[in-house]
Amino acid sequence: MRTLYLECTMGAAGDMLMAALLELIPDRQAFLDQMNGLSLPGVKVEAETAVKCGITGTHMKVTVEGYEEESLDGHDHEHEHEHHHHHHTAVADIEGIINGLPLSEKVKADARAVYALIAEAESRVHGHPVSEIHFHEVGTLDAVADVVGVCLLMEKIGAEEIAASPVHVGSGHVRCMHGILPVPAPATALILNGIPTYGGQVKGELCTPTGAALLKHFVSRFGERPVMTTEAVGYGMGKKDFERANCLRAFLGEKEGERQQVTRLECNLDDMTGEDIGFAMETLFSAGASDVYTQPIGMKKNRPGVMLSVICMPEEADRLAALIMKHTTTLGVRRQDLSRYILKRSIETVETPYGPVRVKKASGMGTGRYKAEYEDLAEIARKHGLSLSEVRQEIQQSRPDGAPEQMIQND
């Protein structure tokens, strides 16, 4: 699976995201020409080489009528600082600007959605309807260029999955038109609701409202970088210098296997019949358990017993533990939260002389396998008086991709 992973250990801002993504595409000049050909009033987008703590990356310089958005704390941010222009732009005007750009509908829809997140947060912070939210002209056009640039690059990269690390927001305070505010700024904090964040390690504002909104819109999962074969790494540089390299890293490649959080529930049983245990297992499967199994064990007083184990998603653990209590004689259930590697899975249907058969496909981490659905195999075998192996052979001969015969098994 083509995967993009964003490492936000020094926060995120629109220009940093655009710079990091720019380093992932082969024709960077074509992107810059396209951005400068959008006819955003007075806007010019340039890519500059920047070095932070000995690491070379890219800084995106976006100017409006020759002026660049100033940064007080390290990143270009969109608070209401004094600017060279004092006109204001309403949310509806921003949508009009985006709608008029010569870009695909997907890019424009993504850009509108990002701005909707920012406007909603500003609305809640200031206590005004979204329709009454206004932005300073220079800050608006600078941010529009950042948002549109990131959305355009996301389309060009075409990642199937976008993930990111927890977001470092910084610490301390930021000065804006309304006074001195805590970091993260109120609008940024609202946008980041539901996203894992941390602070306190660097003084200054590391995550801006635009950066937060772009992450919220595009990222489907926040956590550790998955196992992946990386084909390109991009470095998007901020302006200010810190003891740490002020950059956002973007990793692009093929994900080899996904790590998934799961929970294992277990209990020991020595006073239940096999029928009762079987019924409990059926009930747990019907309730959504991923797997239920038993193991023979020796218990106190030399009694033979059974350990019942249930694998489930963490959010289902409490409900399934209650079912174990209800349908078994146990007085307690052990819980272990684990992670597991899983392969990418899909189901396809192959046509055979005996009819369609569903085949499960799993791939990743350097391996691949196929499993024919047992019920489909069994139905054909019974109907035509064949063995399962004969049906599997028909599937093998019918597969257009020539899967090895030993990879076709019944499920």
Side-chain angles (χ1 to χ4, degrees):
M1 178 184 293
R2 190 168 176 80
T3 300
L4 173 66
Y5 183 80
L6 304 173
E7 187 181 79
C8 305
T9 54
M10 285 298 285
D15 60 336
M16 294 175 72
L17 279 164
M18 180 162 52
L21 297 179
L22 178 64
E23 290 203 342
L24 301 180
I25 64 173
D27 195 343
R28 303 176 189 180
Q29 188 58 50
F31 167 79
L32 294 173
D33 292 342
Q34 185 174 4
M35 286 295 297
N36 289 315
L38 294 179
S39 299
L40 285 170
V43 173
K44 184 177 181 181
V45 180
E46 301 173 89
E48 301 178 330
T49 298
V51 179
K52 301 291 180 183
C53 296
I55 300 173
T56 300
T58 298
H59 167 66
M60 298 303 297
K61 182 178 180 182
V62 180
T63 56
V64 182
E65 301 295 347
Y67 294 103
E68 186 175 10
E69 181 79 350
E70 295 180 358
S71 171
L72 298 184
D73 293 287
H75 295 339
D76 298 348
H77 42 75
E78 306 77 34
H79 307 304
E80 295 180 285
H81 305 312
E82 293 296 333
H83 295 299
H84 300 278
H85 294 253
H86 300 282
H87 304 293
H88 294 75
T89 306
V91 174
D93 297 326
I94 294 173
E95 291 183 352
I97 292 172
I98 293 171
N99 290 336
L101 297 176
L103 296 168
S104 72
E105 286 305 316
K106 182 182 185 308
V107 171
K108 290 190 282 189
D110 285 336
R112 290 192 300 266
V114 171
Y115 254 103
L117 290 171
I118 299 171
E120 175 63 27
E122 295 286 356
S123 170
R124 292 176 59 185
V125 167
H126 297 296
H128 296 295
V130 170
S131 59
E132 296 180 11
I133 297 299
H134 291 76
F135 302 90
H136 277 277
E137 183 181 34
V138 172
T140 293
L141 292 174
D142 175 271
V144 167
D146 288 342
V147 169
V148 169
V150 171
C151 293
L152 179 57
L153 285 165
M154 286 292 190
E155 181 183 56
K156 291 179 180 295
I157 291 169
E160 299 174 78
E161 180 185 69
I162 301 172
S165 69
V167 183
H168 189 181
V169 297
S171 63
H173 295 81
V174 60
R175 182 183 300 276
C176 73
M177 186 176 181
H178 300 287
I180 298 176
L181 302 177
V183 171
T188 304
L190 279 175
I191 296 170
L192 291 173
N193 275 351
I195 294 174
T197 63
Y198 62 98
Q201 299 182 20
V202 174
K203 292 292 184 182
E205 182 189 44
L206 299 184
C207 187
T208 71
T210 295
L214 286 163
L215 292 176
K216 185 104 171 186
H217 177 68
F218 282 108
V219 176
S220 60
R221 182 182 66 82
F222 289 86
E224 296 179 357
R225 182 155 61 99
V227 177
M228 58 189 292
T229 301
T230 303
E231 63 185 52
V233 181
Y235 288 80
M237 302 303 196
K239 282 187 175 180
K240 194 172 181 180
D241 292 323
F242 296 99
E243 290 184 2
R244 301 183 180 187
N246 187 13
C247 67
L248 183 149
R249 291 202 296 180
F251 297 83
L252 180 64
E254 290 292 326
K255 188 166 68 173
E256 292 294 325
E258 182 178 349
R259 280 181 63 180
Q260 182 184 64
Q261 298 301 310
V262 295
T263 296
R264 181 168 62 200
L265 305 174
E266 290 181 343
C267 64
N268 297 348
L269 306 167
D270 66 357
D271 55 354
M272 288 183 67
T273 67
E275 290 177 338
D276 290 348
I277 293 175
F279 181 79
M281 294 176 69
E282 292 175 5
T283 301
L284 290 163
F285 270 122
S286 298
S290 300
D291 198 5
V292 184
Y293 56 94
T294 61
Q295 301 175 67
I297 56 174
M299 297 180 61
K300 61 184 179 182
K301 299 181 180 179
N302 298 319
R303 294 174 182 168
V306 171
M307 182 166 65
L308 175 68
S309 300
V310 177
I311 304 297
C312 64
M313 296 297 102
E315 60 269 20
E316 299 292 332
D318 290 346
R319 182 173 62 85
L320 292 176
L323 286 177
I324 294 174
M325 293 291 194
K326 180 178 180 179
H327 292 283
T328 72
T329 57
T330 189
L331 301 178
V333 176
R334 300 183 295 276
R335 171 174 177 158
Q336 290 179 295
D337 291 310
L338 311 167
S339 65
R340 65 177 181 181
Y341 290 101
I342 60 174
L343 301 180
K344 180 183 177 181
R345 306 173 191 182
S346 62
I347 298 178
E348 60 184 47
T349 300
V350 297
E351 293 295 332
T352 76
Y354 305 108
V357 173
R358 289 169 294 171
V359 176
K360 297 177 181 179
K361 180 180 179 181
S363 62
M365 302 187 75
T367 188
R369 59 178 64 95
Y370 301 87
K371 280 190 175 182
E373 184 67 44
Y374 168 75
E375 294 298 338
D376 293 359
L377 293 179
E379 182 180 355
I380 292 174
R382 294 188 191 103
K383 183 177 180 180
H384 297 279
L386 300 171
S387 67
L388 291 177
S389 62
E390 289 174 317
V391 180
R392 290 193 204 103
Q393 186 175 6
E394 291 289 349
I395 297 172
Q396 163 63 21
Q397 294 172 351
S398 302
R399 287 194 56 82
D401 56 2
E405 183 175 356
Q406 63 269 24
M407 298 176 74
I408 299 294
Q409 305 170 357
N410 64 283
D411 187 15

